[in-house]
């Protein structure tokens, strides 16, 4: 809880901080990467840095945390903190790195605010920072302990035992521990980080959902080749270079958007490569012989780009109360008119006690979430996964 004196100062200065927060975060990253170029080379996503999404996500998380401390001091934004903690744990972030962030963040605040940053204001925002950092450090340490590893020691060598070309731009890599150690458990919906050394020597990291059921003897990840500007450094490298018997550096599994153990109806909604955590959830439900009502919704460009298309049909058939609904924007063969275009939940029965899981492009998830709210599904029962900086759905 924020002290009474700091609460007043943070409330008074929050508007100016909010107004300049993107300038602050940009200056922060410039300062930190100048002092620690290894962090940009080997930890942070260079693509997200170049397009500015990481700065906007950091700005949003700081503002959201500060606002919660002021407006709802009796609560903490646990969902926000848990999501960040899982992402940090998958990267091997340690407590010592929060001191580095603090040093360069507050230097950036002083640079942007100038004389507006008095000692008292700096002390108040220092309290905000360490409340947030302390909560994250505790969560991340707990995640490491639950995984049975030392803080930050998340990496192991995994051998590629198979590669499947799902679509022209999506490949599944089947992995087993190269050290022949035990396979760590995971929950359906979780992801792993993969770190690869690129031609310029950078060791870039990306997260990929596990696309298999948890009870298998291998771990599968599906990687979509990312095109455009900037194109995906890691995804393109994996597609071009990794074949059977190669070894990858892979983290322990993390992720807070996981399939629950309730008996209520479940909705799995995805678009594009967002189907990867959903196919894992569906495979788990099928293997467990679930009697839950399961509705699967997916949107894609066409049949040709739809990864796991056959798996979706086969797994749905194994679940007694399951139904799948697929939309293609540009179907290549005969396709019902009502399933052409974007995902539209009208006409699909969605009980109010449904628990929904969403993954895909942010506009898709924003649209589906709005439709579910109109159906009466509470926001607390709608969960979503974003790969890359989380800019929110509201």
């Amino acid at each position: 809880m924020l002290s009474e004196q700091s609460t007043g100062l943070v409330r008074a200065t929050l508007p100016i901080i909010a107004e300049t927060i993107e300038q602050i975060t940009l200056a922060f990253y410039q300062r930190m990467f100048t002092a620690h170029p290894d962090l940009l080379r080997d930890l942070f996503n260079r693509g997200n840095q170049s397009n500015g999404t990481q700065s906007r996500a950091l700005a949003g998380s700081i503002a959201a945390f500060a606002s919660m401390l002021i407006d709802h001091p009796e609560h903490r934004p646990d969902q926000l903190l848990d999501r960040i903690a899982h992402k940090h744990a998958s990267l091997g972030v340690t407590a010592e790195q929060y001191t580095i962030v603090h040093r360069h963040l507050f230097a950036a605040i002083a640079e942007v605010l100038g004389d507006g940053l008095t000692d008292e204001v700096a002390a108040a925002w220092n309290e905000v920072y360490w409340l947030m950092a302390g909560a994250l450090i505790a969560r991340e340490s707990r995640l490491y302990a639950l995984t049975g590893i030392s803080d930050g020691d998340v990496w192991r060598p995994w051998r590629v035992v198979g590669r499947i070309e799902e679509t022209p731009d999506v490949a599944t890599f089947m992995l087993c521990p190269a050290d022949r150690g035990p396979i760590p458990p995971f929950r359906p919906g979780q992801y792993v980080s993969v770190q690869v050394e690129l031609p310029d020597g950078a060791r870039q990291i990306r997260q990929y959902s596990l696309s298999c059921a948890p009870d298998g003897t291998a771990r599968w990840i599906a990687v979509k080749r990312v095109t455009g500007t900037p194109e995906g450094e890691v995804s393109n490298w994996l597609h071009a270079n990794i074949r059977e018997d190669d070894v990858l550096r892979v983290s322990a599994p993390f992720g807070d958007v996981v399939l629950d153990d309730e008996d209520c109806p479940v909705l799995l909604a995805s678009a594009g490569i967002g189907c990867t955590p959903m196919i894992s959830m569906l495979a788990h439900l099928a293997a467990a012989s679930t009697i839950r009502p399961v509705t699967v919704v997916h949107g894609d460009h066409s049949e040709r780009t739809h990864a796991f298309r056959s798996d979706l049909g086969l797994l749905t058939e194994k679940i007694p109360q399951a139904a799948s609904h697929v939309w293609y924007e540009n179907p290549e063969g005969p396709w019902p008119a009502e399933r052409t275009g974007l995902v539209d939940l009208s006409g699909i029965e969605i009980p109010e006690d449904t628990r929904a899981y969403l993954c895909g492009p942010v506009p898709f998830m924003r649209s589906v979430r709005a439709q579910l709210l109109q159906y009466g599904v509470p926001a607390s029962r709608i969960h979503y996964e974003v790969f890359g900086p989380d800019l929110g759905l509201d």
Side-chain angles (χ1 to χ4, degrees):
M1 183 177 293
L2 199 59
S3 67
E4 184 176 346
Q5 179 180 1
S6 292
T7 297
L9 287 166
V10 170
R11 178 180 286 112
T13 55
L14 184 57
I16 185 61
I17 291 290
E19 183 180 327
T20 59
I21 191 66
E22 289 198 29
Q23 293 174 252
I24 291 170
T25 54
L26 284 171
F28 154 67
Y29 282 121
Q30 290 171 357
R31 284 176 169 274
M32 185 171 69
F33 293 148
T34 298
H36 301 274
D38 56 302
L39 293 179
L40 178 59
R41 185 182 66 241
D42 300 335
L43 181 62
F44 284 82
N45 183 320
R46 295 193 296 194
N48 291 337
Q49 287 297 322
S50 66
N51 63 25
T53 54
Q54 184 64 59
S55 292
R56 292 195 295 275
L58 175 61
S61 64
I62 293 172
F65 186 79
S67 296
M68 178 67 77
L69 290 176
I70 294 170
D71 298 333
H72 304 284
E74 70 282 5
H75 299 294
R76 277 197 312 203
D78 288 332
Q79 185 176 21
L80 169 69
L81 294 170
D82 287 342
R83 178 156 299 180
I84 296 173
H86 275 272
K87 289 290 172 68
H88 283 182
S90 78
L91 298 170
V93 169
T94 59
E96 293 77 12
Q97 290 169 320
Y98 283 90
T99 301
I100 296 174
V101 169
H102 176 268
R103 181 186 312 125
H104 296 289
L105 179 59
F106 275 75
I109 293 173
E111 174 187 325
V112 173
L113 295 189
D115 294 339
L117 184 67
T118 64
D119 290 344
E120 293 78 13
V121 170
W125 281 96
N126 184 69
E127 189 176 341
V128 171
Y129 175 83
W130 283 113
L131 280 173
M132 186 173 184
L136 289 172
I137 290 169
R139 279 167 162 78
E140 289 153 23
S141 183
R142 187 161 57 249
L143 287 173
Y144 292 138
L146 289 172
T147 310
I149 57 180
S150 302
D151 286 11
D153 187 21
V154 299
W155 302 105
R156 282 177 66 186
W158 288 70
R159 189 173 304 279
V160 178
V161 295
R163 172 172 169 160
I164 302 171
E165 305 302 320
E166 305 286 354
T167 74
D169 287 321
V170 177
T172 286
F173 298 94
M174 305 164 68
L175 309 170
C176 281
D179 57 10
R180 301 185 183 277
I183 297 178
F186 77 96
R187 297 181 66 186
Q190 289 193 306
Y191 53 82
V192 293
S193 289
V194 176
Q195 185 183 62
V196 302
E197 184 170 347
L198 298 173
D200 65 354
R203 298 172 66 89
Q204 284 283 285
I205 303 170
R206 299 294 185 271
Q207 284 86 30
Y208 299 105
S209 291
L210 291 159
S211 56
C212 53
D215 53 355
T217 57
R219 295 292 178 256
W220 297 14
I221 57 171
V223 179
K224 181 177 181 180
R225 190 196 322 266
V226 178
T227 58
T229 304
E231 69 175 18
E233 287 188 295
V234 174
S235 66
N236 281 273
W237 189 91
L238 289 169
H239 272 260
N241 295 282
I242 296 301
R243 299 292 184 270
E244 189 170 336
D245 211 37
D246 287 331
V247 175
L248 289 171
R249 187 170 160 87
V250 181
S251 79
F254 293 99
D256 64 318
V257 181
V258 296
L259 186 66
D260 68 278
D261 296 322
E262 299 179 17
D263 294 327
C264 63
V266 61
L267 171 75
L268 307 177
S270 60
I273 197 59
C275 63
T276 49
M278 302 307 162
I279 209 71
S280 175
M281 293 182 185
L282 192 61
H284 172 72
L285 290 166
S289 302
T290 187
I291 58 172
R292 297 172 69 173
V294 178
T295 301
V296 185
V297 168
H298 182 73
D300 225 304
H301 292 295
S302 69
E303 299 95 322
R304 189 174 62 89
T305 63
H306 182 177
F308 302 111
R309 186 181 181 211
S310 297
D311 301 77
L312 173 59
L314 292 172
L315 292 170
T316 302
E317 289 178 1
K318 292 182 179 180
I319 300 173
Q321 295 192 74
S324 63
H325 309 272
V326 178
W327 283 258
Y328 295 130
E329 293 183 57
N330 300 294
E332 297 173 353
W335 194 252
E338 65 272 17
R339 291 291 183 266
T340 298
L342 303 180
V343 169
D344 181 1
L345 300 184
S346 61
I348 299 177
E349 183 179 354
I350 310 290
E352 291 185 12
D353 61 340
T354 292
R355 189 170 291 279
Y357 299 89
L358 321 179
C359 190
V362 169
F364 161 79
M365 293 194 292
R366 187 176 289 126
S367 171
V368 172
R369 181 176 181 270
Q371 294 179 64
L372 290 171
L373 293 173
Q374 291 178 348
Y375 267 96
V377 179
S380 61
R381 299 184 69 83
I382 303 172
H383 312 277
Y384 68 92
E385 184 63 83
V386 174
F387 287 96
D390 185 359
L391 302 179
L393 298 188
D394 294 327

